Amino acid sequence: MQRYSVSELARGKDRGHPTETVCILADVRTNNSERKSIQVWSYGRNKIANLPRSLIRNHTHEAQHWAAISMPRWLVNKELLWDEPHPAEGEDAAANSERRTAEYVVGRENKYVLRPGQRRSIAAYGGRA
């Protein structure tokens, strides 16, 4: 088992396995089923990231603005997609509903996945809480 220093944990070092699947809330810019990729906004890079459909699983197929997308951890790290998207002011009811649905799916899919900077609880190791 690999150990991390306190400073690495404080900086939020990603401790998960690179091929582990992670579900993120994505700010979708282009979701056309005829394209070979989905374009999402990367808040870490401040630009659009193209996610190849061969590497991802879109849980909300019809999403036009907010989507729950599962992909390998290495791709999330490469495109800096860990930051949560900020809701736009004055968002219409359909987009707001779409975001709540995507957030629910992300929470369900990431139930046992550690995000950078998170620690496992003692209960997760079979100990008493």
Side-chain angles (χ1 to χ4, degrees):
M1 183 171 122
Q2 188 174 4
R3 300 206 179 260
Y4 295 93
S5 70
V6 174
S7 60
E8 287 175 324
L9 293 173
R11 285 194 301 262
K13 182 167 175 72
D14 186 10
R15 298 175 292 166
H17 193 272
T19 59
E20 178 182 31
T21 303
V22 177
C23 189
I24 64 160
L25 176 66
D27 185 354
V28 177
R29 300 303 165 110
T30 305
N31 186 12
N32 185 350
S33 61
E34 297 168 359
R35 293 181 58 127
K36 292 186 179 184
S37 66
I38 293 177
Q39 292 183 332
V40 300
W41 184 257
S42 171
Y43 287 87
R45 294 189 188 270
N46 285 329
K47 68 177 193 174
I48 292 178
N50 289 312
L51 304 177
R53 289 188 188 272
S54 61
L55 294 176
I56 67 169
R57 179 176 174 215
N58 187 354
H59 297 279
T60 50
H61 300 288
E62 300 298 322
Q64 295 301 314
H65 192 61
W66 301 105
I69 300 175
S70 290
M71 64 188 77
R73 187 180 285 270
W74 66 264
L75 183 58
V76 176
N77 292 336
K78 179 182 174 236
E79 297 296 341
L80 300 177
L81 296 172
W82 286 111
D83 294 335
E84 288 288 324
H86 306 291
E89 292 183 24
E91 221 174 36
D92 63 345
N96 207 3
S97 173
E98 193 175 89
R99 182 182 171 106
R100 284 194 310 271
T101 302
E103 286 174 340
Y104 171 77
V105 173
V106 168
R108 184 189 68 206
E109 293 295 316
N110 287 339
K111 188 172 184 179
Y112 301 108
V113 175
L114 284 180
R115 296 174 65 94
Q118 280 185 329
R119 297 183 182 180
R120 291 195 191 275
S121 68
I122 295 171
Y125 291 112
R128 293 186 178 163

